[in-house]
Amino acid sequence: PPPAGASPGSGALNPFDRRLKRKQKNWAALQAEPAKCDYLREEVGGRIADRVFDITRTFPLALDVGSGRGYIAQHLTKETVEKLIQVDIAENALKNAVESEIPTVRVVADEEFLPFKENTFDLVVSSLRYPCPVCALQIHQVLKPDGVFIGAMFGGDTLYELRCSLQLAELEREGGFSPHVSPFTAVADLGHLLSRAGFNTLTVDTDEIQVNYPGLFEVMEDLQGKYKVYSLWKHQCMGESNCSWNRKPLLHRETMLAAAAIYQEMYGNSDGSVPATFQIYYMIGWKYHESQAKPAQRGSATVSFGDLAKIEGLLKRGKK
């Protein structure tokens, strides 16, 4: 667990309650059928593995930060990653990890306090974990020079249908609203965060995964695991319920019913279902090494971009 001084005193810098997050993930990992809520993590884990395969090299030692039940490892091969260390804050998630063909060591540790020496890993991967400044610095530190970090996280438009419905319902029934979904980051802030942590040759792209549900209550049941009308998001099947310091402990029954009606009216599909959108940011960053390609010096170009407009005319003349 993180040091006692890391929370709540550091709440001004880190929006999450790390101890609550650990309890949520441990609870979710002990559910009878955790795999029924893992479809999103498995899908994103497969897409991260595809990005690992795009790099034409073998990684002797890799680290999976916030591995959970091993959503990335199950898609990797031992020809690409020779040895893998999985780290997660929840010991129950590691105990129920999916088996992989890669030799694996599992370590219980907080992602913000990685217990590894500097320049240890050739590859670091992370799926759907918020890369706070501390965590980004830790990942950069444990990477070897010319090592690569490949990760994914929820984007700022994730669950916008649910958030908007809850806010409108609270404003109508209670005269104000508070956050019930953990905060997300913007893509511009993500690039800035990785750059400040020391990564270079950054690549950030975005994708959306939309899942249809019968209604708002089913959305929350899937997120929460077991839904209770009078106790909003105490736990969560996906392990991603709100753990921000300024979270509100509950919503009134009338507010929840109003939110369900708003959700259906504003976003409902023709068949009666409602969509839930998950925006995913994928990021790739490299730790500096002198062998890496360097950008050309400013002003060293020999061709102007203005000359590009002339290419078509030159090609036509060449054909003639």
Side-chain angles (χ1 to χ4, degrees):
S7 59
S10 61
L13 297 176
N14 189 338
F16 301 109
D17 183 341
R18 303 296 297 171
R19 288 188 172 87
L20 177 60
K21 174 57 65 178
R22 183 184 186 186
K23 290 180 180 178
Q24 288 173 347
K25 293 187 66 179
N26 270 321
W27 182 91
L30 289 178
Q31 298 313 294
E33 297 180 60
K36 74 176 184 179
C37 297
D38 286 346
Y39 57 88
L40 184 64
R41 296 194 180 282
E42 290 179 354
E43 176 64 25
V44 175
R47 298 186 185 190
I48 292 177
D50 287 340
R51 287 163 169 78
V52 175
F53 295 141
D54 288 339
I55 302 174
T56 56
R57 67 167 67 173
T58 299
F59 300 97
L61 183 60
L63 173 68
D64 186 352
V65 178
S67 62
R69 298 178 59 247
Y71 308 104
I72 302 175
Q74 62 181 317
H75 299 284
L76 296 173
T77 63
K78 58 185 177 182
E79 287 78 22
T80 304
V81 175
E82 295 179 352
K83 186 175 182 180
L84 176 68
I85 295 181
Q86 295 177 329
V87 170
D88 200 278
I89 195 173
E91 59 272 17
N92 291 336
L94 294 176
K95 290 177 183 177
N96 295 325
V98 180
E99 291 300 323
S100 167
E101 66 178 60
I102 304 170
T104 303
V105 176
R106 300 182 177 96
V107 178
V108 178
D110 194 308
E111 297 96 326
E112 296 185 10
F113 304 91
L114 295 177
F116 305 108
K117 294 182 179 180
E118 190 175 355
N119 303 328
T120 300
F121 298 96
D122 306 279
L123 166 71
V124 176
V125 293
S126 181
S127 179
L128 302 182
R129 294 291 175 265
Y130 183 81
C132 66
V134 175
C135 187
L137 286 169
Q138 291 272 304
I139 291 173
H140 184 268
Q141 182 176 340
V142 301
L143 268 176
K144 290 180 179 178
D146 201 34
V148 60
F149 166 59
I150 303 177
M153 63 172 296
F154 288 119
D157 289 338
T158 294
L159 297 175
Y160 70 88
E161 306 98 339
L162 175 62
R163 286 184 288 159
C164 184
S165 301
L166 288 172
Q167 288 174 5
L168 290 175
E170 275 193 287
L171 283 170
E172 177 191 353
R173 298 303 173 96
E174 303 180 30
F177 67 87
S178 60
H180 295 283
V181 181
S182 293
F184 303 112
T185 189
V187 65
D189 297 331
L190 180 60
H192 183 60
L193 182 149
L194 294 175
S195 179
R196 290 193 62 183
F199 291 98
N200 59 11
T201 319
L202 298 175
T203 302
V204 178
D205 63 284
T206 182
D207 196 6
E208 284 189 356
I209 299 175
Q210 191 173 86
V211 183
N212 292 322
Y213 295 88
L216 175 140
F217 296 101
E218 286 76 15
V219 174
M220 303 195 58
E221 181 181 9
D222 197 31
L223 294 173
Q224 178 183 335
K226 288 187 177 180
Y227 176 69
K228 298 180 180 178
V229 171
Y230 298 103
S231 182
L232 178 64
W233 290 4
K234 271 189 176 180
H235 308 294
Q236 178 181 351
C237 184
M238 288 186 180
E240 292 298 331
S241 60
N242 184 20
C243 61
S244 57
W245 293 106
N246 60 343
R247 62 188 178 272
K248 187 177 179 180
L250 56 87
L251 279 174
H252 298 294
R253 177 184 176 86
E254 293 76 12
T255 304
M256 290 298 303
L257 294 174
I262 292 171
Y263 203 140
Q264 184 65 53
E265 179 67 25
M266 292 183 63
Y267 305 106
N269 299 316
S270 58
D271 61 357
S273 64
V274 296
T277 300
F278 298 89
Q279 185 182 43
I280 312 296
Y281 293 153
Y282 297 93
M283 66 206 97
I284 302 176
W286 295 79
K287 188 169 182 177
Y288 174 77
H289 188 266
E290 59 184 11
S291 65
Q292 293 173 348
K294 299 177 180 62
Q297 298 233 344
R298 188 178 181 87
S300 63
T302 58
V303 179
S304 170
F305 278 111
D307 295 333
L308 294 177
K310 304 175 184 177
I311 291 178
E312 187 175 354
L314 292 173
L315 290 174
K316 288 181 179 178
R317 269 197 270 169
K319 288 181 180 178
K320 290 180 181 178

